[in-house]
Amino acid sequence: MKRKLISALVGITMVATMAVGCSKSSNESQESAKAKSDVKAEQVDAKKVFVSPKWVQSVIDGNQPESKNYEILEVSWGTYKDSPTYTKGHIPGAIHVDTSSVESEPIWNISDPKVVEKGMLDLGVTKDKTIILYGNDISAVSRVAYAYLWAGVENVKVLDGGIDAWEKAGYKTETKVEKATPAKDFGAKVPSHPEYWMSIDQVKKKLKDDSNFRLVSIRSKEEFDGKTSGYTYIDRAGEPRGAVWGHAGSDPYNMQDYLHKDGTVISADEMQKLWSDSDIKKDNELSFYCGTGWRASVPWLIAYDAGWEGMTVYDGGWNEWQMHGNLQK
């Protein structure tokens, strides 16, 4: 009887210990899960474009003012099936956006305002919704970011370093194909900021009459020197007469000069140092261009992020310029 009583007491003690252990383990698991989904980061100004993975996660976790009304978009050309990364793993909740939703042939200028507005509404993009963009091509992402700011979206963010930075930070991805909830009203006239855009006629006049104006080529050195057009669909090589070289990358599909080794963009101060071999200063009126507008959007965004004013993108770029034979360099 005594032995049975001792055995019973031992059994009760073991059960109690296991219960406490399980309870502790469960609590630790819950606390760990909570910690992983409760990231906090400093707030950033609405005109601050480039943001960290930590800030984006803090938005997702509900710890930013932007958390109340935001959307995350992964940018690349084509559908989500054409994306090199979307189906392999994207930021949770991210919707794919095609660059063709903001630009069109034959020049690949920003599309008619009504077309751009419809493309935004189809994705649920409105004036007062925070739009967080990312992708594996900074030029493509910057193109859409520029177009949305031109259209009138008040708070556009770009995940600095893209999906690589996100994964290196240890944040999760998912493969579910997300679908947008369309919006009915953008909330403002499109474009709200036509002053961000420059036409070929405006460029010609500025080059002729304004000594403070700089038309900045964001193209490879071979393109700038007229050795190649850079594109199979652009016949002529060259540059607009009077343009200055603002650097870019090794070819039309790279922007190494504007990126750190980890894929994050350079600062405005670093950008000015990059231009030290050209007649380009912050105090000049700067209009950036490239082949069709993608690469030119990168320095424009860096300047916008830094609070510079009066900067534009010559949207037609070399593609439009070379269509006018008498305007070649």
Side-chain angles (χ1 to χ4, degrees), residues 44-111:
V44 297
D45 187 82
K47 287 197 172 184
K48 172 71 176 174
V49 175
F50 298 101
V51 293
S52 68
K54 183 178 181 180
W55 185 87
V56 175
Q57 185 64 58
S58 73
V59 172
I60 295 172
D61 291 345
N63 293 322
Q64 294 290 340
E66 290 86 351
S67 299
K68 297 178 181 178
N69 189 21
Y70 75 95
E71 189 165 62
I72 302 175
L73 301 176
E74 186 199 86
V75 182
S76 69
W77 176 85
T79 70
Y80 74 88
K81 294 179 181 179
D82 299 309
S83 168
T85 57
Y86 188 80
T87 56
K88 295 178 182 177
H90 58 78
I91 295 175
I95 299 165
H96 180 265
V97 56
D98 181 359
T99 54
S100 297
S101 66
V102 299
E103 61 179 14
S104 55
E105 296 183 85
I107 302 174
W108 293 108
N109 268 358
I110 296 293
S111 297

Side-chain angles (χ1 to χ4, degrees), residues 136-156:
N136 73 331
D137 183 344
I138 187 59
S139 298
V141 175
S142 297
R143 180 61 162 168
V144 174
Y146 165 78
Y148 283 2
L149 287 166
W150 165 85
V153 179
E154 295 180 345
N155 196 345
V156 175

Side-chain angles (χ1 to χ4, degrees), residues 303-316:
Y304 178 91
D305 180 276
W308 296 11
E309 296 182 351
M311 311 302 156
T312 59
V313 169
Y314 162 42
D315 198 27

